[in-house]
Amino acid sequence: MQTLERPGVRSGRFQGPTAADVKIADLSNDSLIVRLHFTINHLSRWLTPVHDRSLLDRSPRRGEPSVKEFVIRLRDEEMRVFPKLHLISVKINPDLDKLPPVVRTPAQIAQDQARTTLGIMAEFRRLRQSTCSLLRALPDSAWARVGTSRREHDWQIRTLAEHLANHDLDVLYEIDLALDRGGAREGVNAAARAHLDELLRLVPVSTRPS
């Protein structure tokens, strides 16, 4: 059994493998969907109990992104990837370069600045739920469908889902650190202070067929 890409992770309470034990590329399709859905749960667990939510908008250290900026990063990546997933799911070998680029306008950037971190998290939640619903509706055979791109490279539905899960992992680790560094966890309950390595051990998974 191969371990997760991060160090210091050990098996948790489940007798079978957990998200801490299995590489994202080795997850079954169903477990990959669960992994994507649990990103929403992790964010809600961490951010909703924070007492001083202004701390989520502030950089924990000079030159470092705030928690809010990381949540925007998750939302923006979902907005970039979902159109590809949808197009590949409804067309045979579509040209992904025909999709309009996802670029935030100055007005949208200003709107993000005025919104709360929890408001942006709620938007990300809606987008991620749409992604998970699309993936759940597909038979396993459809996960191999391909879209072509000369600007990037060809994408399969499966590789796009893996990309989102890997992006989640990177950003969630950054949010975990930022919450500690910025003092946002002071006074919150123990469940809200659980680190990502601990939370991954609570997610049972299955692996892809050999």
Side-chain angles (χ1 to χ4, degrees):
M1 179 69 66
Q2 293 178 315
T3 57
L4 190 69
E5 300 91 322
R6 308 289 177 168
V9 179
R10 295 177 296 179
S11 296
R13 69 177 65 175
F14 297 102
Q15 292 184 350
T18 72
D21 305 310
V22 180
K23 286 185 176 182
I24 287 168
D26 294 334
L27 294 174
S28 68
N29 291 342
D30 286 344
S31 287
L32 186 48
I33 295 171
V34 170
R35 183 71 181 262
L36 292 172
H37 181 75
F38 261 80
T39 294
I40 302 170
N41 294 348
H42 299 333
L43 283 178
S44 182
R45 177 193 289 259
W46 284 342
L47 305 186
T48 304
V50 171
H51 301 303
D52 183 359
R53 290 176 180 167
S54 66
L55 294 173
L56 302 177
D57 300 343
R58 301 176 195 164
S59 172
R61 295 178 183 174
R62 180 173 295 182
E64 293 183 358
S66 65
V67 170
K68 180 179 179 179
E69 288 175 279
F70 284 123
V71 178
I72 289 173
R73 192 175 297 177
L74 287 170
R75 192 246 359 239
D76 287 354
E77 191 63 12
E78 200 77 12
M79 294 178 70
R80 193 183 73 83
V81 170
F82 180 80
K84 292 184 174 70
L85 282 170
H86 181 264
L87 188 60
I88 298 172
S89 72
V90 298
K91 288 190 175 183
I92 302 299
N93 196 25
D95 183 354
L96 300 179
D97 293 340
K98 292 183 177 180
L99 288 168
V102 179
V103 179
R104 303 293 286 176
T105 66
Q108 289 171 323
I109 293 171
Q111 186 180 42
D112 282 343
Q113 292 173 346
R115 297 174 68 189
T116 66
T117 302
L118 294 190
I120 294 169
M121 182 182 74
E123 184 182 9
F124 171 61
R125 177 193 297 272
R126 291 190 295 271
L127 291 165
R128 176 54 59 86
Q129 287 173 337
S130 295
T131 296
C132 290
S133 294
L134 184 153
L135 293 174
R136 284 194 190 99
L138 296 173
D140 283 339
S141 59
W143 285 60
R145 291 180 185 172
V146 175
T148 59
S149 172
R150 292 173 298 281
R151 288 202 297 261
E152 295 181 341
H153 53 77
D154 295 352
W155 287 99
Q156 285 185 335
I157 286 179
R158 170 76 197 197
T159 56
L160 283 169
E162 289 180 8
H163 168 79
L164 283 177
N166 279 301
H167 185 262
D168 286 357
L169 185 65
D170 290 339
V171 178
L172 286 172
Y173 268 105
E174 295 290 351
I175 291 173
D176 199 358
L177 291 172
L179 288 168
D180 280 344
R181 291 173 180 169
R185 284 181 164 142
E186 293 182 9
V188 301
N189 59 56
R193 296 196 304 272
H195 292 289
L196 184 60
D197 287 346
E198 302 171 65
L199 298 180
L200 292 176
R201 292 198 291 270
L202 301 178
V203 184
V205 299
S206 59
T207 56
R208 303 174 73 177
S210 300

